[in-house]
Amino acid sequence: MKIEVLDTTLRDGEQTPGISLNAVKKLRIATKLDEIGINSIEAGSAITSEGEREAIKLITSQGLKAEILSFSRTLIKDVDYCLECDVDAVNLVVPTSDLHLKYKLKKSQSEMLQDAVEVVEYAKDHGLLVELAAEDSTRTGVEYLREIFKATIDAGADRICPCDTLGILTPLKSFNFYKRFTDLGVPVSAHCHNDFGLAVANTLSAIDGGVSRFHGTINGIGERAGNAAIEEVVVSLNTLYKNNEEDAESKYTTDIKINQLYKTSKLVSRLSNAYLAPNKPIVGENAFAHESGIHTDGVIKNSATYEPITPELVGHRRKFIIGKHVGTKGLDNRLKELGLKVKKDQLNEIFYKVKDLGDKGKTVTDTDLEAIAEHVLNIEQEKKIKLDELTIVSGNKIRPTASIKINVEDRELIEADIGIGPVDAAINALNKGIKNFADIKLEEYHVDAVTGGTNALIEVIVKLSSGDKIISARATEPDIINASVEAYIDGVNRLLENK
Ligand SMILES: CC(=O)SCCNC(=O)CCNC(=O)[C@H](O)C(C)(C)COP(=O)(O)OP(=O)(O)OC[C@H]1O[C@@H](n2cnc3c(N)ncnc32)[C@H](O)[C@@H]1OP(=O)(O)O
Ligand SMILES: CC(=O)C(=O)O
């Protein structure tokens, strides 16, 4: 059975607190949604603002294959704004619960029904396709819901959508709830929110209950805890509804190009600046990442041991992470990928050094692993930068000032700078010295007193990046400024290795 997808990333998704997409960004997302086979795109709420209307107009002017809708309240003026934007359809939202009618709209059930019928007739008279979304349906009596759906279908509504606006269904309730509207002669959509983390499960149950369409957003963004994540629903429909492993076809199909889902997710999170949790199913950075030895070993032998689908199916990629839980097979595999051949005893030594770092709560990047391996294999790289002299002037009535003399491949460089404190001044002076040949960014800086007292040994750990290379470096000294500069120089040298 074919299930159609209405994407509301640009309407309900944009209602995520803090997300605002300009017309160009909306168009880029809409174009991608169209390209991957989304059937209907809710491009925004035309009533919202001039900018929103500009964005919707830009999208409707492209001749995309997908149906383009705008949200509309049950008000003629909202429909007029939708018409101005030249959309194909309206997502006409009619609040139906007693709570919404009494407190929000101050209307009776019959007044709301009459308004809904009038607005549907107006929209239809003006050539729009109407999807009638009953807001807060899951806190509305079924009898009234069926009455308002029947009346608006008689007035011309083309599709209906009972909405679980507050995400209060459970999968079993969703199955039984949505089933009650599948005999009304028009396609039914599910619209499930994620307040209890059940939006995807409830959407799947609604589909099992007989709906032929669902609303969702890329990455599950949306009001409060968000909406059903399209990528999760679509991949579940594709994968979890086969009678047995050998079945090529699932019980449900969609028009979505599944291998584009990771790219689409990335585009939406980048343009909306909405952080994506690494453990997000299907598209999160850890969805196909393995660190623990037992899993990595299994995946190297046969990826199906610990992956329910291949990353390639959704256009993602598999990653093996080196950290506290790594096993020797995973480590050996990564070292080989980095072009490093090690003997068994060397592998064990690297293994224990990685475990030691893991026990200290550190992650191990590729550059870290290369440095550990080079140390174990006795491959000493010539250090590009060496510290010759460091002078600090600091006190309660003076701007902290540092001068630094470094040796860069036998050239002497002297620089000075000021800073918020003496460490900042020293690093600023150092950065001035190296800026012509190293583009370094300080990502993190940690200081720890290894022993107690003011004469304690100080451990400084810095995380530095250059392009897409990231490393951690450390130094331990009695003097915090020297420790900071030594750790920084060590990190820069390692980032410059193999460049
Ligand atoms: C469940 C959902 O996702 S609903 C969609 C939510 N989306 C939005 O809110 C879109 C962005 N909103 C906006 O830009 C503004 O709220 C506007 C332009 C739509 C309206 O702004 P204002 O006129 O200042 O009204 P305000 O937002 O303060 O209040 C909402 C009004 O809409 C009414 N209303 C809410 N839903 C509906 C509806 N479906 N049909 C008719 N009226 C509605 C409310 O009763 C209230 O009317 P009142 O002023 O007579 O009390
Ligand atoms: C219409 C809608 O977005 C809702 O009821 O959640």
Side-chain angles (χ1 to χ4, degrees):
M1 177 182 171
K2 172 71 76 65
I3 302 298
E4 297 203 328
V5 186
L6 183 149
D7 180 289
T8 182
T9 305
L10 300 177
R11 197 277 293 173
D12 214 330
E14 204 202 19
Q15 286 169 213
T16 305
I19 295 186
S20 169
L21 297 160
N22 63 24
V24 174
K25 287 181 178 178
K26 279 205 171 200
L27 177 62
R28 282 189 66 191
I29 293 174
T31 307
K32 185 73 190 167
L33 295 174
D34 188 54
E35 188 189 308
I36 70 168
I38 293 287
N39 307 94
S40 305
I41 300 172
E42 193 174 8
S45 306
I47 182 71
T48 298
S49 64
E50 196 52 55
E52 180 82 337
R53 288 188 282 281
E54 245 176 62
I56 301 174
K57 282 180 204 170
L58 190 60
I59 293 169
T60 55
S61 68
Q62 305 296 313
L64 301 179
K65 285 189 291 308
E67 169 191 89
I68 308 296
L69 305 89
S70 164
F71 166 95
S72 167
R73 291 175 297 177
T74 328
L75 295 173
I76 300 291
K77 72 168 172 187
D78 281 29
V79 176
D80 283 339
Y81 276 124
C82 295
L83 288 166
E84 185 194 314
C85 295
D86 204 21
V87 291
D88 304 308
V90 278
N91 183 19
L92 185 65
V93 176
V94 185
T96 50
S97 66
D98 287 347
L99 202 67
H100 279 229
L101 292 180
K102 182 171 172 194
Y103 294 103
K104 201 173 81 173
L105 288 141
K106 298 179 176 51
K107 284 192 187 249
S108 66
Q109 286 189 338
S110 57
E111 284 171 323
M112 193 71 246
L113 188 146
Q114 210 177 324
D115 283 2
V117 167
E118 267 173 32
V119 179
V120 169
E121 281 171 349
Y122 182 80
K124 291 303 298 177
D125 285 348
H126 288 79
L128 290 167
L129 188 143
V130 175
E131 174 149 340
L132 192 110
E135 187 182 3
D136 207 16
S137 281
T138 46
R139 294 192 298 181
T140 306
V142 169
E143 218 172 286
Y144 177 59
L145 270 181
R146 285 182 61 88
E147 188 187 341
I148 201 163
F149 283 140
K150 277 184 184 161
T152 48
I153 290 167
D154 286 347
D158 301 272
R159 303 192 292 253
I160 56 168
C161 179
C163 297
D164 186 22
T165 305
L166 269 72
I168 54 171
L169 288 174
T170 63
L172 186 58
K173 284 183 185 166
S174 182
F175 178 87
N176 290 321
F177 174 74
Y178 277 101
K179 207 161 62 156
R180 288 171 138 147
F181 307 100
T182 53
D183 62 344
L184 295 173
V186 293
V188 185
S189 305
H191 180 106
C192 297
H193 274 272
N194 202 32
D195 297 69
F196 290 86
L198 291 170
V200 169
N202 290 336
T203 302
L204 294 174
S205 280
I207 290 168
D208 280 336
V211 309
S212 58
R213 304 169 54 91
F214 77 92
H215 294 188
T217 57
I218 298 295
N219 299 335
I221 59 175
E223 284 277 353
R224 306 182 307 282
N227 291 59
I230 287 177
E231 62 281 0
E232 293 176 33
V233 177
V234 166
V235 176
S236 299
L237 292 175
N238 171 74
T239 309
L240 303 178
Y241 287 84
K242 292 179 180 170
N243 288 327
N244 56 56
E245 293 268 303
E246 283 73 46
D247 269 10
E249 275 283 290
S250 171
K251 179 176 170 193
Y252 301 115
T253 58
T254 65
D255 290 327
I256 308 301
K257 291 181 182 138
I258 293 181
N259 66 0
Q260 293 292 309
L261 286 171
Y262 177 67
K263 259 195 191 159
T264 310
S265 155
K266 280 284 188 206
L267 180 77
V268 169
S269 70
R270 199 172 62 245
L271 294 185
S272 62
N273 278 329
Y275 165 79
L276 195 62
N279 62 339
K280 167 84 179 53
I282 312 295
V283 290
E285 283 311 304
N286 287 350
F288 301 93
H290 311 277
E291 180 189 307
S292 39
I294 296 164
H295 286 227
T296 306
D297 172 55
V299 171
I300 290 169
K301 288 170 177 161
N302 181 338
S303 66
T305 51
Y306 288 105
E307 285 175 356
I309 53 170
T310 64
E312 292 77 25
L313 180 75
V314 295
H316 207 330
R317 64 185 185 283
R318 179 176 301 122
K319 275 188 294 187
F320 294 117
I321 307 295
I322 303 301
K324 180 180 170 183
H325 309 96
V326 77
T328 47
K329 255 94 91 221
L331 188 58
D332 195 31
N333 182 67
R334 190 77 200 115
L335 287 165
K336 281 196 183 112
E337 282 173 358
L338 294 171
L340 292 160
K341 275 200 188 134
V342 294
K343 295 198 192 97
K344 194 153 188 255
D345 57 329
Q346 292 167 328
L347 178 65
N348 284 339
E349 195 180 336
I350 297 168
F351 178 70
Y352 287 113
K353 282 186 188 298
V354 169
K355 289 278 175 188
D356 184 47
L357 278 176
D359 281 340
K360 290 187 174 122
K362 307 285 177 309
T363 51
V364 181
T365 66
D366 282 348
T367 318
D368 293 330
L369 185 61
E370 279 171 327
I372 294 169
E374 280 162 7
H375 178 74
V376 169
L377 299 174
N378 257 331
I379 314 169
E380 267 301 316
Q381 299 261 5
E382 180 62 20
K383 301 279 177 247
K384 269 197 178 144
I385 303 168
K386 291 179 197 129
L387 176 67
D388 279 345
E389 283 170 24
L390 173 67
T391 310
I392 301 290
V393 184
S394 190
N396 69 337
K397 297 230 166 114
I398 191 164
R399 288 286 287 278
T401 308
S403 69
I404 198 161
K405 188 162 106 183
I406 51 174
N407 185 298
V408 182
E409 291 176 324
D410 296 332
R411 265 182 316 131
E412 194 175 82
L413 281 174
I414 300 175
E415 284 294 349
D417 210 337
I418 53 170
I420 301 291
V423 171
D424 190 42
I427 300 297
N428 289 345
L430 176 58
N431 274 334
K432 261 190 173 175
I434 63 175
K435 72 168 188 287
N436 288 337
F437 56 90
D439 181 17
I440 305 291
K441 197 165 154 225
L442 177 65
E443 304 283 347
E444 281 174 31
Y445 173 82
H446 299 282
V447 189
D448 214 357
V450 179
T451 50
T454 49
N455 61 352
L457 267 183
I458 302 293
E459 184 182 57
V460 172
I461 301 177
V462 291
K463 194 188 251 189
L464 303 178
S465 67
S466 176
D468 56 5
K469 255 183 151 186
I470 298 181
I471 53 103
S472 312
R474 75 178 65 206
T476 309
E477 300 228 6
D479 182 309
I480 187 174
I481 306 163
N482 284 341
S484 304
V485 172
E486 289 293 359
Y488 201 95
I489 288 181
D490 183 39
V492 174
N493 276 323
R494 283 169 47 203
L495 282 171
L496 294 176
E497 278 168 15
N498 308 323
K499 268 212 155 182

